[in-house]
């Protein structure tokens, strides 16, 4: 598993570094596997159902809702130059591509070509590995070295969430509220809280749920299905919480 992304048709798209995107229903059944020849780093969806897929080599593909590739090229940076990173789309279908080595984000349009602008930040230890955009405001949610940070469109830090002794894994929900999975890595315990877009606490969804700890990589993803269920993904397992 390299990523999970809420799909507009109600499924959850799980990208594999070994190749392919696996589409799961809210009850956890595998519905379909597509793009089996692509080593997937990140997935995003445009408002019309098209998808953007970032490969592990940092190339990006624009696909139809049926997962057929368009003849479109994005001039992204190579892995050696920029490093890996996240992917998200805003309400205007602008495509945000993060680079963890350079600690910046390039912004593309669906037409491809060169980046139309860049978002950079100075003095913050923020690695744009997981990026989420608010549909109402265009602001960004990302992880920093020890928590969750909200940035405005110019890269200015606005709000921060931290919990001592826990790693944080955020996502933006359908209504622009924020959910964060707080993980005690050594114990394998996951708690999930919900926050407003200003990162004010609303409620607790899950308290210290025991997961099977990954053998090597403590790296996780969090998302919400269109139907409301919460998906939490480890490198080799997908957990689904019914919170409707």
């Amino acid at each position: 598993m390299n990523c999970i992304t809420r799909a507009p048709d109600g499924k959850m798209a799980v990208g594999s570094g070994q190749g392919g995107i696996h589409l799961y229903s809210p009850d956890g059944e595998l519905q379909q596997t597509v793009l089996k020849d692509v080593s997937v780093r990140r997935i995003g969806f445009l408002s019309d159902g098209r998808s953007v897929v970032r490969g592990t080599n940092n190339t990006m593909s624009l696909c139809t809702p049926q997962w057929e590739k368009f003849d479109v090229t994005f001039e992204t940076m190579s892995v050696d130059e920029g490093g890996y990173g996240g992917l998200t789309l805003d309400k205007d279908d602008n495509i945000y591509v993060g680079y963890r080595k350079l600690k910046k984000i390039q912004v593309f349009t669906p037409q491809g070509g060169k980046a139309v602008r860049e978002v950079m930040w100075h003095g913050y230890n923020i690695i744009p590995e997981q990026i989420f955009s608010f549909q109402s405001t265009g602001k960004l949610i990302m992880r920093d070295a020890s928590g969750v940070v909200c940035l405005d469109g110019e890269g200015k830090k606005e709000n921060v969430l931290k919990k001592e002794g826990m790693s944080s894994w955020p996502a933006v929900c359908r209504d622009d509220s924020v959910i964060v999975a707080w993980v005690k890595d050594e114990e394998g315990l996951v708690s999930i809280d919900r926050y407003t877009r200003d990162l004010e606490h609303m409620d607790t969804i899950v308290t210290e749920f025991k997961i099977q700890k990954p053998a090597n990589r403590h790296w996780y993803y969090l998302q919400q299905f269109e139907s409301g269920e919460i998906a939490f993904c480890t490198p080799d397992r997908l957990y689904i919480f019914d919170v409707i």
Side-chain angles (χ1 to χ4, degrees), residues 1-26:
M1 180 279 299
N2 268 343
C3 64
I4 61 174
T5 306
R6 177 176 63 246
D9 63 358
K11 301 183 184 70
M12 190 63 63
V14 180
S16 171
Q18 297 178 345
I21 297 173
H22 309 290
L23 300 169
Y24 287 90
S25 66

Side-chain angles (χ1 to χ4, degrees), residues 14 20 58 65 73-74 109 118 126-127 132 170 194 242:
V14 180
N58 276 1
T73 300
F74 297 87
T109 69
E118 293 185 346
I126 304 171
I127 300 175
F132 305 92
R194 191 190 313 272
D242 187 354

Side-chain angles (χ1 to χ4, degrees), residues 66-92:
Q66 293 74 39
W67 300 100
E68 297 172 350
K69 293 182 182 179
F70 287 102
D71 185 17
V72 175
T73 300
F74 297 87
E75 297 182 25
T76 51
M77 295 181 179
S78 68
V79 174
D80 288 341
E81 183 182 6
Y84 301 122
L87 173 73
T88 193
L89 285 85
D90 67 14
K91 59 184 177 60
D92 298 316

Side-chain angles (χ1 to χ4, degrees), residues 1-107:
M1 180 279 299
N2 268 343
C3 64
I4 61 174
T5 306
R6 177 176 63 246
D9 63 358
K11 301 183 184 70
M12 190 63 63
V14 180
S16 171
Q18 297 178 345
I21 297 173
H22 309 290
L23 300 169
Y24 287 90
S25 66
D27 59 6
E29 291 192 11
L30 178 62
Q31 302 290 301
Q32 186 182 9
T33 300
V34 298
L35 300 182
K36 297 179 181 179
D37 60 336
V38 178
S39 179
V40 179
R41 174 68 58 184
R42 297 288 182 269
I43 310 163
F45 289 93
L46 281 73
S47 57
D48 61 4
R50 290 179 295 168
S51 60
V52 180
V53 180
R54 180 177 184 174
T56 54
N57 60 359
N58 276 1
T59 59
M60 289 208 308
S61 301
L62 181 67
C63 301
T64 69
Q66 293 74 39
W67 300 100
E68 297 172 350
K69 293 182 182 179
F70 287 102
D71 185 17
V72 175
T73 300
F74 297 87
E75 297 182 25
T76 51
M77 295 181 179
S78 68
V79 174
D80 288 341
E81 183 182 6
Y84 301 122
L87 173 73
T88 193
L89 285 85
D90 67 14
K91 59 184 177 60
D92 298 316
D93 284 342
N94 293 306
I95 304 163
Y96 292 70
V97 180
Y99 300 94
R100 62 178 300 166
K101 184 183 292 186
L102 298 179
K103 295 184 179 179
K104 73 175 183 179
I105 295 171
Q106 288 185 319
V107 184

